[in-house]
Amino acid sequence: MEVLRDVESCPRPEEGTAVTIGAFDGVHRGHQTVIAALERRAAAEGLRTAVVTFDRHPASVVRPDSAPLLLTDLDQKLELLADCGVDYTLVVHFDEARAQEPAEDFVTEVLSGCLNARLVAVGDDFHFGHRRAGNVELLRRM
């Protein structure tokens, strides 16, 4: 697994990627199931696999009083993700500036620009971007 820590140095694989996004704290069985399904879809479509995660849990920035206690630190999380067999893990620095970022910018910069995403696997209730304005419908449109 290649760990990417900067969108400017992303590989933007020509064949594209199948991506999933989340905090992945603990990389528990549910996470592993999602990643395994992503890997099957990627293999069927000739894509590389990528996980996008964060170096600070987003809740610790946007709602610190109710942020969850973490099960793993970043290094442990990266080890667990490597064991899942993904090609890339992009670690996005999450701070106040990122919390203010429009959802469309995240899609353009990270998913399209950095990873050349062709497939994005998230839950139906997935939200992202400033004020959680991004959702599955936005991902489909973009």
Side-chain angles (χ1 to χ4, degrees):
M1 175 182 81
E2 185 176 348
V3 177
L4 309 169
R5 295 180 185 267
D6 184 333
V7 293
E8 284 79 36
S9 63
C10 282
R12 199 170 198 291
E14 186 174 318
E15 67 271 40
T17 59
V19 180
T20 189
I21 307 164
F24 293 97
D25 184 33
V27 191
H28 56 66
R29 288 183 186 166
H31 295 138
Q32 294 168 24
T33 299
V34 168
I35 292 168
L38 182 79
E39 290 171 333
R40 287 190 298 276
R41 286 277 310 269
E45 297 186 29
L47 304 172
R48 307 291 299 270
T49 55
V51 169
V52 175
T53 193
F54 306 96
D55 68 351
R56 290 175 64 194
H57 194 291
S60 71
V61 175
V62 298
R63 52 179 176 81
D65 294 340
S66 62
L69 297 176
L70 299 181
L71 301 171
T72 54
D73 65 23
L74 180 59
D75 290 336
Q76 292 169 317
K77 178 171 41 175
L78 291 173
E79 287 177 24
L80 293 168
L81 288 169
D83 290 344
C84 291
V86 297
D87 294 309
Y88 305 105
T89 294
L90 173 61
V91 179
V92 175
H93 177 70
F94 199 90
D95 56 13
E96 289 293 335
R98 183 66 71 176
Q100 299 297 315
E101 178 181 51
E104 294 85 355
D105 290 358
F106 182 82
V107 173
T108 301
E109 177 189 7
V110 174
L111 298 180
S112 179
C114 176
L115 296 171
N116 193 21
R118 298 288 179 242
L119 182 149
V120 179
V122 294
D124 290 336
D125 63 346
F126 179 72
H127 289 84
F128 65 102
H130 183 60
R131 297 192 178 174
R132 299 172 40 95
N135 55 27
V136 173
E137 184 54 38
L138 175 69
L139 289 171
R140 284 186 181 121
R141 270 197 330 267
M142 292 187 74

